[in-house]
Amino acid sequence: MSEEQIKNLEQQFEARIARDEKIEPKDWMPEKYRKTHIRQISQHAHSEIVGMLPEGNWITRAPSLRRKVALLAKVQDEAGHGLYLYSACETLGVSRNELYEQLHTGKAKYSSIFNYPTITWADMGAIGWLVDGAAIINQVPLCSTSYGPYARAMIRVCKEESFHQRQGFEIMMKLANGTPEQKELAQDALNRWWWPSLMMLGPTDAESVHTEQSMKWKLKRKSNDDLRQQFIDQTVPQADLIGLTIPDPNLKWNEERGSYDFGEINWDEFWQVVKGHGPCNKERIDARVNAWNNGEWVRDAAVAYADKKATKKQRQAV
Amino acid sequence: MKENLYNYILGIADNSLILGQRMGELTGHGPSLEIDIACTNISLDLFGQVRSYYQYAAKIAGDGRTEDDIAMLRKERDYLNVLLVEQPNTDFAYTIARQYLFDVYHAMFLTALQSSHDITLSAIATKSIKEVSYHQRFSSDWIKRLGDGTNESKLKIQNAVNTLWTYTDELFHQTEADKAMVTEHIGVDVTQLKKAYYQKVTSLLTEAALEVPKLKWFQKGGKSGIHTEHLGYLLSDLQYMQRTYPNMEW
Ligand SMILES: [Fe+2]
Ligand SMILES: [Fe+2]
Ligand SMILES: [Fe+2]
């Protein structure tokens, strides 16, 4: 193809997106579009499955049978999200094994929030309420993103995430309205998860790369700072409602802006965790790598068994 | 209170509780995402059943105890599950062998329990049997894949079956509560299930190119609360919150 032809195709492609048409796997797409989508969707898929670990940590210790069932179901949903997202990513011509390889070697990123430890039961409430809550704010706009398989996966995912968010809030509410000891658990969890949740919405706009292109492709519709403000404005009244205090002395309603002003985010901590030096980065990757390595013989057996079956069938057919 | 019925229900429910707990340990650590989801699903099904049983048991006890008190606040000697279900997830072969050896029994047991004269138990059995048939399909498929997969998988699953075989006989032991409930047409006579169980297991192991262990010595004790050393650790996790923060609602 000549350079001009490619340019032409690119123009048509961008025009389709501008018209809100969906791009499907068999459609022509610029290489950069493909690569950017592989990166973002796989990063999202990895976040879902790494995200299973901090919550999976409390399955055996959930305080009641009802909570245990709900937690199991939630973590299972996250595995399901991982599955749809890996499948969406595979439509772009990359295999799930390659994507795992990138995760295991540290080449691919996942949401940094999952590098914080879950040390009390209240963390299950805080994660559902804040982390799933921030995820929804990030993800709802993606339900109308330009790449069809991603958009469709996000519609399913978002429905479940809002359920998780309500469930998490309900855990927190129960604790906040419980005994003083329970209330302390809830407040402590909020103290520990608040700032990392704000960081989850991404670096501040001044430091954020590839936003413009992403806006064009509808991978991003609002800036990180706008999303963060939306999250804060939505969450503060919820904390008030259950009598918990947001751990930010500078948090204040700004009548003029119709939004909350808030304190300085510790970006050094953010970059430290992103670069691999958070409290649980090593544990999380080790857990994924171990699961994968320990499972190798199982996956090999399944392949060998299927091959034998297929050969047998072929022989019978002859 | 109807002591025999209460104990009878615990005998059934504790199996699902302890096995559900074991399966829940694997969530997030499975050999593949699909297997992870399936194991979590089995755990979910079992805990769902557990809740129905304990809610019923709590009603019978009628002393203000809840499903959670029964599940999480008994002493180690008061858990009545069979030894098989408390065995650890040594590797995926152990998980599958344990699941399969229990599923075959569980499906037969629930099929029989459907005709219990106790309508609550019969209803729980009818609801659970669908789930357990799925568990059995999952575990049998994996027995076949591992048995007839690679040399390594064959060795591993054979080893797991050999180790766990010693716990199968206990499934067919009758407790006092069992006997009383059989007389009242509420309970299942597990001794009647034994022959069909070993036939079914033998036929699948053979199909999976595995050997059927020729063991003569069996372990028992779970049904009377004498467990293996593994159970205490499992209970430490299960009971942690209820013990650390007593008398609270979650
Ligand atoms: Fe998710
Ligand atoms: Fe997500
Ligand atoms: Fe979620």
Side-chain angles (χ1 to χ4, degrees), chain A residues 63 65 67-68 96 182 288, chain B residues 21 28 34 242 249-250:
Chain A
L65 292 173
R67 293 291 183 204
K68 194 190 288 278
R96 217 205 284 180
Q182 283 174 306
R288 287 312 316 158
Chain B
Q21 183 79 358
E34 287 81 356
Q242 290 280 343
E249 275 177 43
W250 302 95

Side-chain angles (χ1 to χ4, degrees), chain A residues 16-147:
Chain A
R16 286 186 62 196
I17 293 179
R19 284 196 303 269
D20 258 338
E21 279 176 40
K22 292 280 177 259
I23 306 302
E24 295 301 332
K26 292 210 170 87
D27 297 347
W28 181 86
M29 61 185 79
E31 202 40 39
K32 196 167 167 225
Y33 181 91
R34 183 189 305 277
K35 285 222 171 91
T36 304
H37 276 76
I38 290 176
R39 195 184 58 233
Q40 174 157 340
I41 301 172
S42 67
Q43 198 167 313
H44 193 166
H46 297 327
S47 302
E48 301 287 350
I49 61 160
V50 175
M52 294 169 72
L53 299 168
E55 289 183 283
N57 185 35
W58 278 88
I59 287 173
T60 60
R61 291 175 295 168
S64 69
L65 292 173
R66 183 171 82 92
R67 293 291 183 204
K68 194 190 288 278
V69 166
L71 183 60
L72 275 162
K74 188 202 175 201
V75 180
Q76 189 188 36
D77 284 348
E78 306 301 2
H81 299 170
L83 212 52
Y84 318 147
L85 287 163
Y86 283 124
S87 305
C89 210
E90 282 176 313
T91 63
L92 291 163
V94 58
S95 73
R96 217 205 284 180
N97 284 8
E98 282 172 77
L99 298 173
Y100 281 152
E101 177 72 21
Q102 293 172 0
L103 173 67
H104 297 163
T105 54
K107 214 185 130 209
K109 295 259 175 286
Y110 55 88
S111 183
S112 262
I113 192 96
F114 300 120
N115 293 317
Y116 289 86
T118 53
I119 56 181
T120 74
W121 166 254
D123 294 355
M124 299 303 99
I127 289 183
W129 175 33
L130 303 173
V131 176
D132 286 83
I136 294 166
I137 289 199
N138 251 333
Q139 291 168 16
V140 165
L142 291 173
C143 294
S144 55
T145 189
S146 63
Y147 189 54

Side-chain angles (χ1 to χ4, degrees), chain B residues 103-175:
Chain B
D103 286 342
V104 175
Y105 161 81
H106 201 192
M108 286 177 174
F109 177 84
L110 290 174
T111 306
L113 189 65
Q114 287 185 94
S115 21
S116 168
H117 285 191
D118 182 299
I119 51 166
T120 308
L121 285 183
S122 150
I124 299 174
T126 302
K127 192 190 149 273
S128 310
I129 186 82
K130 292 188 200 103
E131 296 165 347
V132 171
S133 319
Y134 162 77
H135 303 172
Q136 194 182 322
R137 199 170 340 128
F138 173 81
S139 61
S140 329
D141 283 351
W142 274 105
I143 293 270
K144 286 191 265 181
R145 285 192 195 105
L146 299 181
D148 203 11
T150 62
N151 288 337
E152 186 185 8
S153 70
K154 187 190 187 67
L155 209 72
K156 284 198 149 109
I157 190 69
Q158 182 73 63
N159 188 28
V161 168
N162 291 350
T163 307
L164 295 174
W165 196 257
T166 190
Y167 301 113
T168 53
D169 189 64
E170 189 191 10
L171 293 163
F172 310 102
H173 291 200
Q174 276 189 318
T175 64

Side-chain angles (χ1 to χ4, degrees), chain A residues 65, chain B residues 17 50 54 66-74 79 235 238-239:
Chain A
L65 292 173
Chain B
L17 174 76
V50 159
Y54 289 152
T66 65
E67 53 172 306
D68 293 322
D69 297 335
I70 298 177
M72 300 175 179
L73 288 174
R74 279 179 285 153
Y79 284 84
L235 293 180
L238 178 71
Q239 300 189 341

Side-chain angles (χ1 to χ4, degrees), chain B residues 219-238:
Chain B
Q219 300 301 320
K220 59 172 188 214
K223 287 184 175 183
S224 48
I226 300 172
H227 291 277
T228 58
E229 290 176 351
H230 302 295
L231 188 70
Y233 297 96
L234 182 151
L235 293 180
S236 308
D237 276 357
L238 178 71

